[in-house]
Amino acid sequence: QVQLVESGGGLVQPGGSLRLSCAASGSIFRFYAMGWYRQAPGKQRELVATITPGGNTNYADSVKGRFTISRDNAKNTVYLQMNSLKPEDTAVYYCNSGNPPVYWGQGTQVTVSS
């Protein structure tokens, strides 16, 4: 089965940047759609971005123009480049695979605060 491990979260100031990585196990990574969700305490889980096996992307309106999802099939890794971060972006970010999502990572905390 597929296992996902996120990394790259941390504390940044508003306007800063972070790059999240999600390393996937398995030999069929390139066939999965991948995505990032986020969830803040007391809030509903929110879809942030998705990328298809062919590289087509989609973004939540709240992050469009600031975040970029990408994938490197040779490395079995999906990335989320987050620029111009806002306090509202503070959440635990989860990587997922499958469409609809089937596998989930453990999450990585992103905190945007001055």
Side-chain angles (χ1 to χ4, degrees), residues 19-89:
R19 187 195 191 199
L20 306 183
S21 298
C22 174
S25 67
S27 61
I28 57 172
F29 171 84
R30 68 184 186 277
F31 298 120
Y32 283 89
M34 303 293 295
W36 290 93
Y37 286 75
R38 66 187 182 186
Q39 188 167 26
K43 301 292 185 179
Q44 191 173 21
R45 184 181 61 189
E46 175 188 27
L47 176 64
V48 176
T50 60
I51 185 167
T52 69
N56 293 320
T57 59
N58 194 36
Y59 299 92
D61 288 340
S62 59
V63 307
K64 195 171 299 181
R66 300 187 297 119
F67 290 11
T68 302
I69 187 172
S70 62
R71 65 192 298 160
D72 186 338
N73 290 336
K75 297 180 179 179
N76 283 5
T77 302
V78 63
Y79 305 95
L80 186 68
Q81 178 66 48
M82 305 185 295
N83 299 325
S84 301
L85 283 162
K86 305 175 180 179
E88 305 91 87
D89 297 318

Side-chain angles (χ1 to χ4, degrees), residues 7 10-11 14 16 20 61 73 98-99 102 106:
S7 62
L11 173 65
L20 306 183
D61 288 340
N73 290 336
N99 185 20
V102 175
Q106 83 288 349

